[in-house]
Amino acid sequence: AQTVTQSQPEMSVQEAETVTLSCTYDTSESNYYLFWYKQPPSRQMILVIRQEAYKQQNATENRFSVNFQKAAKSFSLKISDSQLGDTAMYFCAFMGEGGGADGLTFGKGTHLIIQP
Amino acid sequence: KAGVTQTPRYLIKTRGQQVTLSCSPISGHRSVSWYQQTPGQGLQFLFEYFSETQRNKGNFPGRFSGRQFSNSRSEMNVSTLELGDSALYLCASSPWTASNEQFFGPGTRLTVL
């Protein structure tokens, strides 16, 4: 079984700063997917970014980028030019080769607070 | 394209009762997954349905069950409710079972008194 660990329960930064959220995972699979989801106070889970393990290039989506270190089983999320609307819970998640049939394995989450 | 819808959004039940939650996936999506979110256990996979068949189930007791209809809409049922079943229940929609894309609904907040 795979595990996902987020070691930062809460982080707080000033608006416009850059922040990095950490995530490590453990798996014996060679092909898998990693995700960062955002859950604002509305509780709606929103996909922020996705990384396929077989791709060496780090995924980027506008102000969001990841640092994927497959050998180290590390998958951190960098948010540049942080905005007040980025305040939310952020969950790192793993999906194995079976895709949706196996479900997502989530970390415990990091509560990110962007201060004005 | 409309997103994933879940009904009801809020529900209050008492111990021992049973409850049914509904999820309508994005049009054209055939896979529906269910997750439970609690402060203590976090987000946990309940089960996944594709083509009206349960493909996989997480580590939950038999009180938790579900089904999927021919139009891909899914329901989950919890019987003999316990206080610990109080949670946010999230449904996720995917185009097919092996897809790595999951689009979440707004959730149903269940409170068991």
Side-chain angles (χ1 to χ4, degrees):
Chain A
Q2 35 282 337
T3 58
V4 177
T5 303
Q6 293 179 250
S7 58
Q8 305 149 313
E10 185 169 289
M11 297 185 71
S12 180
V13 299
Q14 297 294 123
E15 194 176 6
E17 290 184 344
T18 294
V19 60
T20 299
L21 309 184
S22 301
C23 172
T24 58
Y25 60 95
D26 190 26
T27 183
S28 58
E29 297 186 41
S30 57
N31 194 24
Y32 48 87
Y33 303 90
L34 295 164
F35 307 83
W36 279 98
Y37 280 92
K38 169 184 178 181
Q39 189 177 43
S42 68
R43 310 300 269 173
Q44 175 83 50
M45 293 287 280
I46 302 164
L47 177 64
V48 175
I49 201 164
R50 169 176 51 220
Q51 175 78 42
E52 294 158 15
Y54 65 88
K55 289 187 176 179
Q56 293 188 340
Q57 187 173 4
N58 290 325
T60 62
E61 287 287 342
N62 301 312
R63 298 183 293 108
F64 300 87
S65 61
V66 298
N67 183 3
F68 174 47
Q69 301 290 327
K70 190 172 185 179
K73 294 181 181 175
S74 170
F75 183 62
S76 61
L77 174 70
K78 185 172 83 170
I79 305 174
S80 303
D81 186 27
S82 57
Q83 300 173 0
L84 297 178
D86 294 334
T87 293
M89 283 293 294
Y90 286 81
F91 293 95
C92 178
F94 173 101
M95 179 181 284
E97 295 174 285
D102 295 335
L104 287 159
T105 300
F106 288 91
K108 292 294 187 184
T110 295
H111 185 204
L112 177 63
I113 301 168
I114 309 299
Q115 305 275 11
Chain B
K1 209 180 236 187
V4 180
T5 58
Q6 291 187 246
T7 56
R9 294 293 310 278
Y10 302 92
L11 207 49
I12 300 175
K13 293 285 187 179
T14 57
R15 279 182 299 174
Q17 288 187 310
Q18 76 166 22
V19 67
T20 299
L21 312 181
S22 180
C23 172
S24 292
I26 292 169
S27 178
H29 284 195
R30 296 173 59 197
S31 168
V32 173
S33 300
W34 289 89
Y35 294 84
Q36 181 196 64
Q37 185 176 20
T38 61
Q41 298 300 315
L43 282 148
Q44 294 183 285
F45 171 70
L46 275 159
F47 30 62
E48 190 251 5
Y49 284 88
F50 177 74
S51 292
E52 303 176 60
T53 302
Q54 186 181 92
R55 294 292 306 268
N56 204 355
K57 185 174 182 179
N59 189 24
F60 280 85
R63 299 185 299 107
F64 290 81
S65 63
R67 59 178 175 168
Q68 186 180 35
F69 302 94
S70 58
N71 62 357
S72 296
R73 189 177 70 85
S74 177
E75 290 181 345
M76 68 162 282
N77 184 76
V78 188
S79 62
T80 319
L81 284 166
E82 301 177 359
L83 295 179
D85 298 333
S86 293
L88 179 69
Y89 290 88
L90 292 165
C91 159
S93 161
S94 296
W96 61 88
T97 187
S99 171
N100 61 77
E101 292 182 296
Q102 294 207 336
F103 301 88
F104 283 84
T108 294
R109 167 73 68 186
L110 172 64
T111 301
V112 182
L113 303 176

